[in-house]
Amino acid sequence: MVRILLLLLVFLFAIPLANAKPSVSDIRIGVHPDKTRFVLELSEEPAYRVFTLPRPYRVVVDLPELEWNLPQEMAQQQGGLIKTLRYGLFAPGTSRVVLDSQGPLEIISVFLLPPNETSKHRLVIDMKPVAANAFAATQQPYTSSKPLPKPKAVVVRSNDGVKDSRVTIVLDPGHGGVDPGTIGVSGIYEKEVVLTFTRDLKEALDATGRYNVLLTRDRDIFVKLADRRETARQAGADLFISIHADAHSDRSLRGSSVYTLSETSSDEVAAQLAATENKADLIAGVELEGQPDEVSSILLDLTQRETMNLSAQFATMLVEELKGKTRLLGNTHRFAGFVVLKAHDVPSLLIELGFLSNSDDEQRLRSQAERKKLVTSIASAVDRYFFWQQSMR
Ligand SMILES: [Zn+2]
């Protein structure tokens, strides 16, 4: 009996241990005459894959899914070759660190150190500058002897493949995980603002009972631009709404604005926003080699004409619903080559809730009452749009 109880106890304690993710407790950068050293301190010895990427020069560190018990200032460190750094979930089961380099670089060594009196397990990466023409020859990855599974794509599937008879709407909170998006004037992350907002919007749409609402992400995880569109396509979505809150170098710019796809931008602000948004995969350290260069050219064909007309119709209704209820950017409906809006057969729109580079706008998006006004307006526009569609049949 005692033995059974003991076994039971061991079993009960083993469950949380088995599920607990390894955690990161410190990130350090050391600048030495001959190298820049990057150190990650962890609760256990990690599997890893470390590699470099060009254009722009970066170091990418893939690890198992980790808990990041770190103050936000940790992400503001820099030194030596390391210009900026970011970390977070890259794919289910894979966490990632991206180090932006001052220039072409070579990894000299990657090794693990066991715990001692002052430190836990450490992953150490040493790097040094290299001539641009020698970079390619130094690009082979460093991997741990313990294998690290390849990152999986994040395409959300609708109700395990069962088709919902209702209209399907895919909501797409921008950024996530290793891509924080814009960082607001008071330090708030765009990826957090838009996820909170998207959950509220889903709740409002679900409450009507009329819609099958899917999210491209419902946690702090990175999702590739193409996988966001793919979620909409596979769900046979009737509408795709991408949700953002970006920044602009002109800090006086404020107000919500809506964007639909176009080969040429309506204006400089729209062009800049699209250029920033289209860099999301790059920010997260996704290799773009070998993929069609869809970022630099947004060529549309005639089959997309109908989809674009529907997108524009929804944008018009949305602007009408927003008017008078919340602060708007002038010429509220704008156009640009947003890669995430390129699904051929799904009417798609991107809403910038506001500019996190403007302190009034940031305040507005932090306020639940203000967010509710936006949620209500979008939900009304969705109702109007589908009512209009039905009346056209
Ligand atoms: Zn964004």
Side-chain angles (χ1 to χ4, degrees):
M1 186 64 193
V2 173
R3 253 181 65 188
I4 291 171
L5 271 176
L6 271 175
L7 267 173
L8 195 67
L9 268 175
V10 167
F11 183 68
L12 281 174
F13 278 100
I15 292 171
L17 276 179
N19 287 337
K21 280 181 271 182
S23 64
V24 180
S25 50
D26 198 14
I27 290 177
R28 294 190 288 275
I29 295 172
V31 183
H32 305 267
D34 56 335
K35 64 181 178 248
T36 300
R37 171 166 283 188
F38 177 78
V39 181
L40 209 59
E41 198 173 307
L42 306 106
S43 60
E44 55 188 80
E45 185 184 310
Y48 61 81
R49 182 167 49 245
V50 184
F51 56 97
T52 54
L53 289 175
R55 287 172 284 131
Y57 293 105
R58 287 157 290 166
V59 176
V60 178
V61 187
D62 278 349
L63 299 148
E65 189 164 335
L66 301 169
E67 204 72 66
W68 302 86
N69 299 325
L70 300 170
Q72 219 183 40
E73 305 85 76
M74 279 289 171
Q76 276 131 42
Q77 292 184 82
Q78 52 177 190
L81 278 169
I82 301 168
K83 199 163 60 173
T84 42
L85 69 90
R86 57 196 161 273
Y87 48 80
L89 201 54
F90 176 69
T94 308
S95 283
R96 172 170 282 192
V97 181
V98 180
L99 310 172
D100 295 313
S101 174
Q102 299 283 1
L105 81 165
E106 174 186 3
I107 295 171
I108 318 166
S109 61
V110 177
F111 54 94
L112 294 161
L113 288 174
N116 58 23
E117 311 80 60
T118 53
S119 301
K120 298 178 190 166
H121 291 273
R122 281 147 295 158
L123 170 66
V124 183
I125 303 167
D126 286 339
M127 56 202 99
K128 68 172 175 82
V130 73
N133 58 9
F135 175 80
T138 69
Q139 255 197 300
Q140 55 280 58
Y142 286 74
T143 51
S144 50
S145 43
K146 198 162 45 165
L148 184 72
K150 281 238 166 218
K152 294 174 278 221
V154 189
V155 176
V156 177
R157 275 165 229 282
S158 174
N159 303 331
D160 302 321
V162 180
K163 178 72 184 153
D164 196 303
S165 59
R166 295 171 299 175
V167 154
T168 295
I169 301 170
V170 170
L171 302 180
D172 173 48
H175 313 279
V178 68
D179 171 17
T182 290
I183 300 170
V185 278
S186 75
I188 197 167
Y189 284 174
E190 179 184 359
K191 65 175 182 179
E192 287 160 9
V193 174
V194 297
L195 182 56
T196 307
F197 184 87
T198 304
R199 284 175 177 153
D200 290 351
L201 180 57
K202 176 177 163 53
E203 203 179 291
L205 292 170
D206 279 343
T208 68
R210 287 189 286 276
Y211 309 112
N212 168 34
V213 185
L214 296 176
L215 268 52
T216 54
R217 68 174 179 99
D218 193 14
R219 59 194 285 219
D220 185 14
I221 188 169
F222 171 75
V223 183
K224 284 183 201 164
L225 294 174
D227 290 343
R228 295 170 189 267
R229 290 194 317 241
E230 192 55 20
T231 293
R233 216 186 55 77
Q234 292 209 7
D238 301 283
L239 188 62
F240 176 85
I241 307 176
S242 193
I243 295 160
H244 289 262
D246 279 283
H248 197 272
S249 50
D250 177 357
R251 292 193 163 208
S252 70
L253 278 190
R254 56 182 291 201
S256 307
S257 46
V258 303
Y259 299 81
T260 51
L261 185 65
S262 160
E263 282 178 32
T264 48
S265 307
S266 56
D267 58 281
E268 202 41 50
V269 172
Q272 274 186 37
L273 285 173
T276 311
E277 284 313 328
N278 292 348
K279 275 190 201 133
D281 289 358
L282 213 65
I283 298 277
V286 173
E287 266 181 286
L288 299 176
E289 274 91 345
Q291 289 179 19
D293 194 4
E294 60 172 5
V295 174
S296 58
S297 77
I298 302 277
L299 289 175
L300 307 173
D301 55 53
L302 284 172
T303 60
Q304 226 158 331
R305 189 62 52 85
E306 171 67 5
T307 307
M308 287 171 74
N309 287 343
L310 290 171
S311 307
Q313 188 63 45
F314 177 59
T316 305
M317 291 175 178
L318 178 55
V319 173
E320 281 168 11
E321 290 300 323
L322 289 167
K323 239 173 216 158
K325 303 199 187 77
T326 191
R327 176 100 191 189
L328 295 178
L329 183 69
N331 302 318
T332 311
H333 178 196
R334 299 174 180 228
F335 314 89
F338 288 94
V339 167
V340 77
L341 300 180
K342 262 184 68 182
H344 265 241
D345 41 5
V346 185
S348 302
L349 173 142
L350 184 144
I351 180 163
E352 292 283 354
L353 302 173
F355 290 94
L356 291 180
S357 43
N358 177 279
S359 52
D360 292 331
D361 255 14
E362 198 202 54
Q363 208 54 46
R364 183 167 64 98
L365 294 179
R366 276 176 181 276
S367 148
Q368 207 186 348
E370 288 295 324
R371 287 203 307 267
K372 187 142 192 267
K373 290 181 194 166
L374 277 162
V375 164
T376 311
S377 304
I378 299 173
S380 304
V382 166
D383 282 343
R384 263 184 69 187
Y385 173 76
F386 286 110
F387 186 75
W388 167 77
Q389 281 231 306
Q390 267 169 1
S391 69
M392 300 291 284
R393 274 183 201 136

